[in-house]
Amino acid sequence: MLLAIDTSNEYAGVALWDERGLRGEATWLAGRQHTEQLLPQVDLLLRNAGGSPRALSVVAVATGPGSWTGLRAGMSLAKALAVGRGLPVIGVASLDAVAYGCRDAGRRVLAVVRLGRDRFGAASYRAGSEGWEREGDFETLAADEIVARARGRLVVGDLPADLDPARAQTIGATLANATEHQRRAPYVAELAWARHLRHEYDSLVALEPIYLGSPVRS
């Protein structure tokens, strides 16, 4: 069974996945309490699924970009479980997971995650010749740059306050449905499970959060 952890922003999420698919998930507003709340939520999820830490075979974690403190909490727990149970670990970029939920939209997608203040991490995605793929590297953008980049795309994630449906329509952009903006750990789990089946794991030592710039207080 795979445990997925996503603490990329003020919301936190955990999910369990196996060969049957999603076994359970939890998403909650953690604020700045990721460290205190994460492990109890993992324990509760495992108990609700009728499992225990001994049932885990792999750990997946969202690597960012995202909240500085949130990413550290998720990465620390993922590595602790991997070391303590002797499990492989898989890192999944947070924006890849955000965009993955819109992979069947039939158009290019702009995924956005808030970094703090007026800064956002962003990346574009499209259906390419080899399937769903990211276009280029992650970027750090201000709110007005996000609005400009949204033109002609489906936008999902942490949206700037001034990017509402009315304004999006004027620039030829579309906002994802409200529920799709919420980051969900099952997307991390599904992406990681495909790598698990191919035995594509990350180095426990080399795996680190993706920080775009210096820490910024939200």
Side-chain angles (χ1 to χ4, degrees):
M1 186 181 297
L2 179 148
L3 169 68
I5 300 169
D6 188 346
T7 54
S8 304
N9 67 357
E10 60 183 359
Y11 282 88
V14 290
L16 294 173
W17 196 282
D18 65 12
E19 63 278 358
R20 292 167 288 182
L22 180 64
R23 294 292 304 279
E25 67 170 303
T27 302
W28 69 99
L29 181 60
R32 295 181 177 275
Q33 305 300 313
H34 297 85
T35 301
E36 295 86 345
Q37 297 178 2
L38 191 54
L39 186 55
Q41 288 286 352
V42 170
D43 288 337
L44 178 61
L45 184 63
L46 283 167
R47 283 190 274 114
N48 287 342
S52 71
R54 291 188 296 274
L56 297 178
S57 56
V58 57
V59 180
V61 61
T63 57
S67 158
W68 185 274
T69 55
L71 290 174
R72 285 192 304 173
M75 185 67 68
S76 296
L77 179 58
K79 287 191 173 186
L81 289 171
V83 171
R85 302 295 306 169
L87 304 176
V89 64
I90 296 173
V92 175
S94 303
L95 286 171
D96 290 357
V98 171
Y100 187 69
C102 296
R103 63 193 180 281
D104 295 323
R107 61 186 303 182
R108 296 171 72 191
V109 170
L110 178 67
V112 182
V113 60
R114 185 181 298 277
L115 303 178
R117 294 182 185 169
D118 191 41
R119 294 170 54 242
F120 296 82
S124 294
Y125 297 79
R126 67 177 179 182
S129 58
E130 299 183 2
W132 187 244
E133 60 186 22
R134 188 193 317 142
E135 300 179 290
D137 296 328
F138 302 122
E139 299 181 279
T140 302
L141 302 174
D144 57 342
E145 294 174 312
I146 290 291
V147 174
R149 195 63 56 86
R151 187 177 302 276
R153 301 179 186 180
L154 175 66
V155 189
V156 63
D158 302 333
L159 303 182
D162 58 350
L163 184 55
D164 56 25
R167 185 173 186 188
Q169 186 175 13
T170 65
I171 60 174
T174 304
L175 304 188
N177 295 327
T179 54
E180 294 175 326
H181 292 301
Q182 176 56 56
R183 186 174 296 102
R184 293 182 60 209
Y187 294 144
V188 176
E190 187 172 358
L191 287 168
W193 185 257
R195 288 182 52 189
H196 171 57
L197 294 178
R198 298 191 299 267
H199 303 285
E200 296 176 358
Y201 304 116
D202 289 304
S203 164
L204 189 63
V205 175
L207 185 64
E208 293 292 341
I210 300 170
Y211 296 131
L212 296 181
S214 302
V216 177
R217 299 184 66 85
S218 299

